[in-house]
Structures are given as C-alpha cells and as structure tokens.
C-alpha cells in the first residue's frame, strides 16, 4: 500500500491501480459529510486508514465501504514514528485470522529501504463488522447473503 498524504496524488495512484493507506491524527472523519467521507477514499483506492482516533460513525462508514479502520497503539502517531507519507506499507493479518480488535503488524518501507515496524489495532469491533470488511463492504455482504438464499 502507498500512503496518501497530499491531495491530488491519489487520482494517479487510482489510475495505476495502487492501493492506498491514509495516515491521520485524532478524530479522523469529524465534521465531514459522513457518507461521502468514506465513499471518496474508497473510490480512490484507499484500503486502510491508520489514525490516532476516529469519529464514531465515520469508522463504521469506512467498514461499510470495505476500508480497514486502524488506530496507532501505545501513544504512537505518524510524527512519533517518523512517517512522511512516502513509504510503502505492509499490513500483516488482513487475509487470515481477522477478528474483532486484532492487533496487526505494520511495516512501513522508505524509498531508501529502511523500515519502521509498528503495531496497529484493527477497529473492527464486532463479528459482523469483520464479516462486512471481509466481503468488501455492506453491499457486497448483503448481495452474497441473498445469493446464498437462492
């Protein structure tokens, strides 16, 4: 994943099919037009958001769009970890053993090859949120459930 920090850059990444990660601070999503605040990043190819904290409903909306909400742990943040926004991110554990409150290993690799490893908390807080995320969002989950019933 490439991290998204500068407005305008995500469009080129979207065209190139590069999945993105957003790094942010406290109360991410606060004051936003809630539905579009989650739809916009999804449409640009954002796959995960790692923040200090979320606005409650925005976190849920991200899950509904199939975007993984995560928080930094142990008082860490982008600045304390020395993250600039130009790293490539590897988040371990998305494809396997995903469960509510899973602590995930994240590695940020800089252009010079140096790495910053840290842990992030997957803010999938309930089993149904895990299912929504695994299916790529609420709509895909509902469609698959309907197809099972046929």
């Amino acid at each position: 994943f490439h991290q998204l920090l500068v407005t305008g850059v995500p469009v080129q990444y979207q065209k190139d099919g590069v999945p993105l990660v957003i790094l942010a601070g406290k109360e991410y999503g606060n004051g936003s037009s809630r539905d579009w605040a989650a739809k916009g990043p999804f449409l640009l190819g954002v796959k995960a958001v790692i923040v200090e904290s979320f606005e409650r409903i925005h976190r849920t909306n991200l899950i509904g769009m199939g975007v993984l909400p995560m928080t930094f742990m142990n008082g860490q943040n982008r600045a304390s970890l020395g993250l600039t926004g130009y790293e490539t991110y590897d988040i371990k554990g998305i494809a396997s053993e995903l469960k509510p409150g899973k602590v995930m290993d994240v590695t940020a690799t800089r252009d010079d090859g140096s790495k910053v490893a840290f842990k992030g908390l997957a803010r999938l807080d309930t089993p149904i949120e895990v299912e929504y995320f695994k299916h790529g969002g609420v709509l895909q989950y509902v469609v698959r459930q309907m197809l099972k019933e046929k």
Side-chain angles (χ1 to χ4, degrees):
F1 296 107
H2 276 284
Q3 187 267 333
L4 147 70
L5 190 58
V6 181
T7 306
V9 174
V11 175
Q12 186 60 48
Y13 283 132
Q14 179 200 30
K15 288 178 184 174
D16 296 342
V18 177
L20 301 172
V21 172
I22 292 176
L23 300 180
K26 296 177 182 174
E27 292 298 313
Y28 177 74
N30 194 22
S32 62
S33 173
R34 290 179 175 155
D35 285 351
W36 279 103
K39 288 176 188 168
F42 166 76
L43 292 171
L44 289 171
V46 171
K47 301 297 182 191
V49 176
I50 308 173
V51 302
E52 291 178 61
S53 65
F54 285 101
E55 189 276 334
R56 179 182 57 85
I57 294 172
H58 183 68
R59 181 194 66 82
T60 303
N61 288 342
L62 288 170
I63 296 165
M65 296 305 300
V67 176
L68 179 64
M70 296 178 66
T71 53
F72 291 105
M73 296 183 65
N74 305 320
Q76 294 176 323
N77 59 37
R78 183 180 68 81
S80 70
L81 291 166
L83 303 174
T84 65
Y86 294 97
E87 300 85 8
T88 301
Y89 288 80
D90 180 30
I91 302 171
K92 300 249 191 262
I94 292 175
S96 64
E97 301 177 24
L98 198 54
K99 62 183 181 183
K102 183 174 182 177
V103 175
M104 305 178 86
D105 293 315
V106 181
T107 303
T109 304
R110 297 184 179 108
D111 287 340
D112 67 4
S114 63
K115 297 178 185 292
V116 177
F118 60 97
K119 298 208 181 283
L121 176 65
R123 286 299 314 277
L124 302 170
D125 296 345
T126 66
I128 194 64
E129 288 180 346
V130 171
E131 288 304 310
Y132 290 160
F133 176 75
K134 283 181 178 179
H135 285 271
V138 172
L139 180 60
Q140 293 85 339
Y141 175 82
V142 170
V143 169
R144 288 186 179 115
Q145 295 306 309
M146 289 173 51
L147 291 173
K148 279 184 183 178
E149 293 175 8
K150 289 188 175 196

